[in-house]
Amino acid sequence: DSGVTQTPKHLITATGQRVTLRCSPRSGDLSVYWYQQSLDQGLQFLIQYYNGEERAKGNILERFSAQQFPDLHSELNLSSLELGDSALYFCASSVGRTSGRDTQYFGPGTRLTVL
Amino acid sequence: AQKVTQAQTEISVVEKEDVTLDCVYETRDTTYYLFWYKQPPSGELVFLIRRNSFDEQNEISGRYSWNFQKSTSSFNFTITASQVVDSAVYFCALFDSNYQLIWGAGTKLIIKP
């Protein structure tokens, strides 16, 4: 158990809908990262927050947004969902601001299925 | 551009055999970090090792060992005396000045009893 929690574990929804994925980092970690893992794209970095502020941005679609709250938990919002958004979404956390020196510890993931 | 290549899509060996997973990376930076993660069938990503670009010493942890060679831009992972529980997908990843982890496609390792 990495100490990173994600809810829900599974999510099934329809095209055009909006969903929110939730992540709680390990105790003491200030950075939260979001990743998407799909069969065709592999693992892709979406976005990082450090202590409430956006730190780095990857291949995140405009339909997707995230935020980190004062208690350091984070939410990833996915809207106008398409079939291609079906994937496993991981949250990770680390202590510091720059993840090269820190290890990212991953949550169990949320499996999103868009029908 | 940064890139991580894991050329072996799938490897299948019999238990107790040694197996090496290859990882080749590309970066223009002199300071960077390399990682290996394991994804067992249950789906979670488990951290195995981090190595920075200035530390070329090989590392051994039990049955796991890592061979970092800057001259060939490789960071290979060897499992000695493999066990069925080692069956998983293994990912190599690179972190550099772009401040994000770039992942390889993963190598699926199947250990047969």
Side-chain angles (χ1 to χ4, degrees):
Chain A
D1 186 351
S2 67
V4 179
T5 60
Q6 287 188 250
T7 56
K9 193 163 185 176
H10 301 279
L11 200 47
I12 301 174
T13 188
T15 54
Q17 295 298 306
R18 173 189 166 97
V19 297
T20 297
L21 313 183
R22 183 187 167 102
C23 168
S24 292
R26 294 185 321 156
S27 177
D29 285 359
L30 298 178
S31 275
V32 170
Y33 311 79
W34 286 99
Y35 291 87
Q36 179 194 62
Q37 185 179 30
S38 61
L39 283 174
D40 52 346
Q41 300 283 342
L43 266 163
Q44 289 201 91
F45 166 72
L46 297 178
I47 197 163
Q48 175 198 356
Y49 278 82
Y50 173 76
N51 206 19
E53 294 192 2
E54 186 182 302
R55 170 76 178 99
K57 214 166 184 177
N59 299 322
I60 188 166
L61 299 172
E62 283 192 17
R63 299 184 286 109
F64 297 179
S65 64
Q67 53 183 325
Q68 186 179 28
F69 295 86
D71 67 352
L72 300 177
H73 91 271
S74 177
E75 292 180 357
L76 178 67
N77 300 296
L78 315 176
S79 61
S80 302
L81 285 167
E82 302 174 359
L83 295 177
D85 297 327
S86 295
L88 191 51
Y89 290 85
F90 284 107
C91 167
S93 73
S94 70
V95 172
R97 189 165 170 263
T98 304
S99 67
R101 297 189 195 92
D102 300 323
T103 296
Q104 293 184 34
Y105 292 94
F106 284 75
T110 293
R111 182 164 296 282
L112 173 66
T113 303
V114 182
L115 301 175
Chain B
Q2 304 85 355
K3 189 177 177 183
V4 176
T5 301
Q6 294 180 258
Q8 304 150 310
T9 306
E10 183 173 305
I11 300 174
S12 181
V13 300
V14 176
E15 201 173 20
K16 296 183 185 174
E17 285 185 20
D18 298 349
V19 57
T20 295
L21 309 182
D22 297 333
C23 173
V24 174
Y25 60 93
E26 293 177 29
T27 178
R28 291 181 181 176
D29 292 353
T30 54
T31 301
Y32 52 89
Y33 299 83
L34 296 163
F35 297 79
W36 276 94
Y37 282 84
K38 172 183 179 179
Q39 187 173 37
S42 51
E44 73 273 23
L45 281 162
V46 179
F47 166 75
L48 295 177
I49 191 171
R50 180 183 75 243
R51 172 69 69 215
N52 76 57
S53 54
F54 297 107
D55 182 1
E56 290 193 68
Q57 275 193 339
N58 292 329
E59 179 149 345
I60 298 174
S61 175
R63 296 184 296 107
Y64 294 174
S65 62
W66 290 269
N67 182 357
F68 177 33
Q69 292 199 339
K70 282 178 81 168
S71 60
T72 55
S73 297
S74 65
F75 186 41
N76 297 336
F77 173 34
T78 297
I79 302 175
T80 303
S82 60
Q83 299 177 1
V84 172
V85 293
D86 296 327
S87 296
V89 179
Y90 290 85
F91 291 95
C92 180
L94 165 72
F95 179 91
D96 63 9
S97 59
N98 279 291
Y99 299 106
Q100 55 181 279
L101 272 176
I102 305 297
W103 297 81
T107 297
K108 183 175 182 180
L109 178 62
I110 301 169
I111 310 296
K112 298 177 186 173

